[in-house]
Amino acid sequence: MCGIVGYVGNKDALPILLESLKKLEYRGYDSSGVGFLDHDSRLIVRKSKGKISNLESLLRQDSLPFAHTGISHTRWATHGFPSDINAHPHTDSKNHIAVVHNGIIENFQELKAELKKKGCKFLSATDSEVIPHLIASFYKGDFLSAVRRALAKIKGTFALGVISHHHPGVLIAARVGSPLIIGVGDSENFIASDVPAILDFTRRVIYLQDGQIGVLTKDKVDLFTFEGKNVKTQVDTVAFNVTAARKDGYPHFMLKEIHEQPDVLEQMLSLRLKKGKLVLDGLALSDEILKRMHKVTIVACGTAYHAGLVGKYIIESLSRLPVEVDTSSEFRYRNPIIDKNTLVLAVSQSGETADTLAALREAHSRGAKVIAICNVVGSSLVREADGVLYTYAGQEIGVASTKAYTAQLMMFYLLALKLAQARKTIDVKESREFVRQLMRVPSLQRNILKDMHHIQKIAEANSHFGCFLFLGRHVNYPSALEGALKLKEISYIPAEGYAAGEMKHGPIALIDEYRAVVCINPQSHVYEKMSSNMQEIRARKGNIIAIATSLDAQIRSNADFVIEVPQITDLLSPLLVVLPLQMLAYFIAVKRGCDVDQPRNLAKSVTVE
């Protein structure tokens, strides 16, 4: 969600803030702004609704001074609709202190009422505006003390960047529950809500922990607890591929990331399978502990939740352990039945998803072991989990997840195999055949990608439909959910994913010649059942797009359009069928003129509840 960038150093802050902010556009936003201190230490703030390009146009209208210290922000609205006034930074009544904020201040109404009684004048409808007023009310010459006293009054989640005209060479950062990193440079330092923002300037970072404050000048970084105790700084070096942030000739990041999936899975397999032996570094649980587990609980949100649903089929099938799958936001509130013999798998691409972090903490409070399945090294989820299985999918910039999803699926296949081996529910011969089938997946995915132009034609021929239904059975029921989500996310077309066996229990009422139905029906043990569902749809004049196994003549008589995928064992088919689903969504969205990489109202990482 919202992006933060801050700078203090010898260079002109404004160009650095703007260029770095653009690196965070993939997070999703509706407005942007900058605040900086000029050579007379005057605080200047400019902000604008819409894209960063609007802010740049606004800034070009002024002859702005050189500035050594500044903060910037892209906002994703929570309190107050998108507007210039509600954009960040926010300032106090005297325009002495400016703040950028990610998160939610839960007690802002109470604080706002108190501050108004003291004469503070509020301009916006946001919860964030209470923060600069609160800091100003405590300021008596000690900047850090004023920030600390303000934080003691705040309830909620936040990542903050704060500057003051009284302290022109100082930038203060703080966090609780919302990600924030500090970039360490040469005679310059940075803050950012995500590493890619500052990779052009430094690879040395400090991962700010919950309950910590960073005080940055151009020459040093000091860390403190909220109580004022010094904290030892640990500087990590980011091993990050900057080219991941480039489109490399593709029209959109999403299409590039769709095409990267075979390479991602190939790399995962090469790292995790050494001479046929499974290597899950980071799992941190012995076979003895795994054997003691009575059940598995998977917690995740959005696309990661759909990966978890596939994971349920895989783990239960291979290891015979019962599996529950919860959306993280429900798990944390439903008094779940888990204990020390429950293995909890917390799945998040970013590792900063607020609800999944809360679910992890709930699981820990009940004595469960928690393993993170995550893409981002050093993220909050990783630091709090008992172990981590990195997916190593690389930076994913498109808001609609593609390669991160298939990487999560692959990790579930590998973990399920590990559980099966530990629990001896699979023999050596079966393990070898399963691994052999897994190794085929990247090349089979490449074959599907060669059919891209055929899929594009099908997508464009169906882009006029105002409603889509996605149907699947067994392990591809979650694929139907994911296909519907992708279409909704980037094309804004209403779409529903259903278990095909449930069609007669309601969704069949929707089917007529004005609806498109995507039927996921590769060769499997439920093939005939799914074929019957397709005939029922055809009898009601539904427009059928079938995803089917290559050379399946029967499917062609029941479908208007067919996208072929190679034959593979039932359990692994989600790794193949998802590519056509992603490309359908992508090409329909492009045909409709939608912003594929930055769909409206969505954020890449949901860091607030």
Side-chain angles (χ1 to χ4, degrees), residues 126-182:
T126 70
D127 57 332
S128 306
E129 195 182 355
V130 301
I131 304 169
H133 287 292
L134 201 57
I135 294 170
S137 72
F138 288 121
Y139 183 75
K140 299 291 186 283
D142 187 331
F143 191 13
L144 176 58
S145 175
V147 173
R148 284 181 46 232
R149 292 181 68 185
L151 296 182
K153 297 273 286 183
I154 291 171
K155 295 178 183 177
T157 60
F158 53 82
L160 301 178
V162 190
I163 58 175
S164 167
H165 102 105
H166 298 293
H167 304 270
V170 178
L171 169 61
I172 291 183
R175 69 158 285 186
V176 168
S178 196
L180 197 64
I181 60 108
I182 295 172

Side-chain angles (χ1 to χ4, degrees), residues 269-388:
L269 291 169
S270 68
L271 289 171
R272 302 297 186 176
L273 293 169
K274 304 287 188 180
K275 296 181 180 179
K277 185 178 180 182
L278 187 57
V279 179
L280 293 185
D281 293 335
L283 181 59
L285 298 177
S286 67
D287 285 2
E288 288 302 314
I289 293 174
L290 293 177
K291 280 192 280 189
R292 290 203 301 267
M293 294 297 153
H294 294 165
K295 73 171 182 177
V296 175
T297 296
I298 300 170
V299 290
C301 300
T303 286
Y305 171 71
H306 296 156
L309 290 173
V310 177
K312 172 183 171 68
Y313 285 95
I314 302 162
I315 293 170
E316 288 187 343
S317 176
L318 293 185
S319 75
R320 307 309 298 153
L321 264 173
V323 181
E324 293 179 353
V325 189
D326 253 326
T327 53
S328 303
S329 56
E330 289 300 312
F331 177 85
R332 64 186 292 194
Y333 293 120
R334 73 169 179 85
N335 194 19
I337 303 172
I338 59 173
D339 57 24
K340 65 181 182 179
N341 293 315
T342 303
L343 176 61
V344 174
L345 305 175
V347 192
S348 169
Q349 187 281 140
S350 68
E352 302 294 349
T353 308
D355 285 320
T356 303
L357 281 165
L360 175 149
R361 292 161 189 155
E362 179 68 23
H364 269 161
S365 73
R366 295 166 186 263
K369 295 288 186 183
V370 182
I371 300 299
I373 295 178
C374 187
N375 191 38
V376 179
V377 176
S379 60
S380 298
L381 192 73
V382 167
R383 293 197 300 269
E384 295 191 35
D386 298 298
V388 58

